[in-house]
C-alpha cells in the first residue's frame, strides 16, 4: 500500500542564539539544506514543505528542492509552539497537493546529521504498527541529575549508582517527530501510543549553541579513510608500519584498515594498535573496499594495476598510493615513493627520502654520538628476515666480536621463524618484536640491516650501517647507498661471510669513517619527512 507522507520543516528567520542560523553556511552549505536533502531522498517519496516567515529562507529552500508554506507573523514569534505551526502547514499543503496524508513528519533544520536511513526506519516502524500513534527521535540522557527547590539543590535519585544501573532517562532530539494524521490538530501532534526512536552519536546533535555548530561542522567534514595494506613473510611488515605511522597523524577523520588475504602478520600488527582492521573476504579485494565505501583509499600494497585503480576511481574514491611503481600509479590522486626513484616527472607524484615518514619514537630520538671504540652492534633484518641474514651475519662476525669484547644484540620481528638457528650463539641477546626500536639503535655503534624502512630510521639517528638486500627490489631502494652513508653489500644471498667480516672490521677500526658516515646520514634531515607527507595527504583530502 502506497502511503502519502508530508514532511514539514519549520524555519523562521528570527533565531536568537545563533542569528540567521538556518541560512548560515555549515561545511559549505546553508544549514537548512541538510534537513531538506535528508527528507527529499527518503525512499517513501514524501512531499517536503518548509514553513517560514522569511523570504530569504524561502528562496534558499526552493533552490534546495522544497516547497514553501508562507507562515503568518502570529505563528512566527518567540512564544509560538510548533503544534499550530505544523497544523497550519498541514492544512495548506493538503490544499496545494490535493492529497490525504497518512503521516505528518516534523524535521528540525537544527539536526543536520540525521541520516535518511534512520528517518526511513522510523517511518517504516510507524506504518507497520496500527496501534502506534507517534514516534519521536530521542537519545539516552541517563545521568545523576539534580533539581532546585526553595533555593536548595536536591538530587533526583535515592542512591548514587554507576550510570548503567540508573533508571534510563531519554531526551527528545529535534531530528523528527512522526505522527499519524489523526493525531494532528492546532494544539497537539502526539497521540496516546508513543514510541521513541533512539539516536546515537552525531545524529543526536541539535544545534542550539556555537559549540554544537562547531561539532556538526567537524562531523560533516570528517571523511572515511581506508588504508589497504600488505604485510607477510615475503614482503615484511614495513608497509604496515608506514600506514600506522600515517594513521597516527590523522585525527579528524574515521580510519579503517583492510589487509589482503595473505597478510595475517599485518593484520595482527595493526590490531595491536587498536585500529579497526579487516582481512580480505572477497575474491577481489575491490569488493571488500566497496562494502566499506570509504571517501579516501590509501594503498600501501606495492605496485597497483590499471584495472585495480580504475575500479576504485569508478566508485568516486580519492586514491593515495605509497611505494607504487605499477602502471596503476598513473591514475592515483597522489603517489608518494620515499624508497624508489621515478624516471619521469608526473603530476602529484613525490619521491625521495625527504618524503619518508618516521615513527614518533624516531622523531623524538636524539642523535648518536660516535665513540672511538665499538662496544655494541645491532642485527635487525626486519619483521620477517626471509633469508635468515641474522644467522648469516652472526656466523661471519661472532668470533671476531667475542675477541674484541663487542656485545651483539639481535632484534627479531613478529614474523621471524628461525630462532633455532641462533642457539649456537650463546653470547648474544635477542629481543623479540620490541616497541622501542630507536633506543636499541641509539645504543648501537654499528647496525646490520636490510635495505628497507629501517635504513631511514637508522639514518635519522646517525648510526653507521652495513646493508644486505633481501631481494632484487630492495636493490632499487636508492637511499641505502654510499651517497647517504651506507655500506651496501648488495643482495645478501650473494655475499660471502669473509666479505661481511672484512667490511665490518674496517668499520670497527676506522673511527673517522664512522663519524663521516654519521654526518652524511644526519645531514638528510629526515625528521621533516612526515610533516611533508601529512600536508600532501591533507591537501588531497580537502581538495
Amino acid at each position: 500500500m502506497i502511503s502519502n507522507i508530508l514532511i514539514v520543516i519549520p524555519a523562521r528567520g528570527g533565531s536568537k542564539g545563533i542569528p540567521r542560523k538556518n541560512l548560515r553556511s555549515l561545511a559549505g552549505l546553508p544549514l537548512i539544506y541538510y534537513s531538506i536533502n535528508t527528507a527529499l531522498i527518503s525512499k517513501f517519496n514524501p512531499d517536503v514543505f518548509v514553513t517560514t516567515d522569511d523570504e530569504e529562507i524561502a528562496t534558499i529552500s526552493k533552490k534546495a528542492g522544497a516547497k514553501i508554506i508562507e507562515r503568518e507573523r502570529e505563528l512566527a514569534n518567540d512564544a509560538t509552539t510548533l503544534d499550530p505551526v505544523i497544523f497550519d502547514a498541514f492544512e495548506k499543503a493538503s490544499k496545494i497537493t490535493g492529497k490525504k496524508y497518512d503521516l505528518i513528519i516534523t524535521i528540525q533544520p537544527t539536526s543536520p546529521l540525521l541520516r535518511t536511513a534512520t528517518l526511513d526506519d522510523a517511518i517504516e516502524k510507524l506504518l507497520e504498527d496500527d496501534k502506534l500513534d507517534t514516534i519521536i527521535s530521542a537519545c539516552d540522557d541517563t545521568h545523576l541529575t539534580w533539581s532546585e527547590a526553595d533555593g536548595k539543590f536536591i538530587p533526583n535519585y535515592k542512591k548514587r549508582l554507576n550510570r548503567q544501573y540508573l533508571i534510563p532517562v531519554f531526551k527528545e532530539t529535534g531530528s523528527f517527530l512522526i505522527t499519524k494524521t489523526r493525531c494532528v490538530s492546532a494544539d497537539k501532534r502526539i497521540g496516546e501510543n508513543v514510541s521513541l526512536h533512539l539516536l546515537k552519536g552525531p545524529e543526536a546533535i541539535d544545534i542550539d549553541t556555537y559549540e554544537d555548530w562547531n561539532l556538526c561542522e567537524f562531523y560533516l567534514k570528517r571523511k572515511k579513510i581506508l588504508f589497504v595494506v600488505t604485510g607477510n613473510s615475503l614482503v615484511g611488515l614495513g608497509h604496515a608500519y608506514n600506514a600506522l605511522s600515517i594513521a597516527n597523524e590523522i585525527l579528524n577523520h574515521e580510519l579503517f584498515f583492510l589487509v589482503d588475504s595473505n597478510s595475517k602478520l599485518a593484520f595482527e600488527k595493526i590490531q595491536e594498535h587498536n585500529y579497526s582492521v579487516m582481512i580480505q573476504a572477497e575474491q577481489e579485494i575491490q569488493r571488500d573496499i566497496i562494502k566499506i565505501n570509504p571517501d579516501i583509499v590509501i594503498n600501501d600494497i606495492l605496485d597497483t594495476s590499471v584495472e585495480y585503480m580504475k575500479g576504485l576511481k569508478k566508485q568516486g574514491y580519492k586514491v593515495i598510493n605509497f611505494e607504487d611503481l605499477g602502471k596503476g600509479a598513473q591514475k592515483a590522486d597522489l603517489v608518494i615513493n620515499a624508497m624508489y626513484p621515478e624516471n619521469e616527472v608526473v603530476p602529484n607524484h613525490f619521491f625521495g627520502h625527504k618524503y619518508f615518514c618516521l615513527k614518533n619514537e624516531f622523531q623524538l630520538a636524539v642523535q648518536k654520538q660516535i665513540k672511538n671504540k665499538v662496544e655494541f652492534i645491532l642485527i635487525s633484518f626486519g619483521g620477517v628476515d626471509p633469508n635468515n641474514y641474522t644467522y648469516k651475519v652472526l656466523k661471519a662476525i661472532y668470533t671476531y666480536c667475542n675477541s674484541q669484547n663487542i656485545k651483539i644484540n639481535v632484534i627479531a620481528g613478529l614474523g621471524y621463524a628461525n630462532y633455532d638457528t641462533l642457539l649456537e650463539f650463546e653470547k648474544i641477546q635477542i629481543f623479540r618484536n620490541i616497541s622501542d626500536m630507536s633506543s636499541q639503535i641509539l645504543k648501537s655503534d654499528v647496525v646490520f640491516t636490510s635495505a628497507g624502512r629501517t635504513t631511514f630510521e637508522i639514518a635519522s639517528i646517525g648510526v653507521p650501517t652495513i646493508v644486505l638486500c633481501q631481494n632484487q627490489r630492495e636493490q632499487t631502494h636508492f637511499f641505502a647507498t654510499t651517497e647517504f652513508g651506507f655500506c651496501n653489500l648488495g643482495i645478501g644471498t650473494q655475499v660471502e661471510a669473509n666479505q661481511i667480516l672484512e667490511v665490518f672490521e674496517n668499520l670497527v677500526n676506522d673511527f673517522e669513517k664512522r663519524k663521516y658516515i654519521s654526518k652524511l646520514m644526519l645531514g638528510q634531515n629526515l625528521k621533516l619527512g612526515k610533516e611533508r607527507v601529512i600536508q600532501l595527504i591533507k591537501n588531497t583530502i580537502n581538495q
Side-chain angles (χ1 to χ4, degrees), residues 72-92:
E72 286 80 6
R73 291 290 179 186
E74 59 268 22
L75 291 177
N77 59 57
D78 291 343
T80 304
T81 64
L82 278 180
D83 291 340
V85 172
I86 301 304
F87 183 69
D88 174 71
F90 161 55
E91 287 192 316
K92 290 177 178 176

Side-chain angles (χ1 to χ4, degrees), residues 119-160:
L119 175 64
D120 283 349
D121 285 345
I123 293 172
E124 196 159 17
K125 180 180 178 182
L126 190 56
L127 288 173
E128 291 176 351
D129 192 334
D130 292 333
K131 295 180 181 179
L132 196 59
D133 293 319
T134 306
I135 292 182
I136 302 173
S137 63
C139 62
D140 190 326
D141 196 39
T142 308
H143 292 91
L144 294 169
T145 61
W146 294 65
S147 302
E148 186 179 6
D150 299 325
K152 293 182 178 180
F153 291 102
I154 303 168
N156 295 327
Y157 55 87
K158 292 182 180 179
K159 186 177 180 181
R160 293 187 69 85

Side-chain angles (χ1 to χ4, degrees), residues 3 96 190 328 356 419 495 523 533 538:
S3 300
I96 292 170
I190 300 174
F356 185 80
Y419 288 104
V495 180
V533 170
K538 287 180 177 179

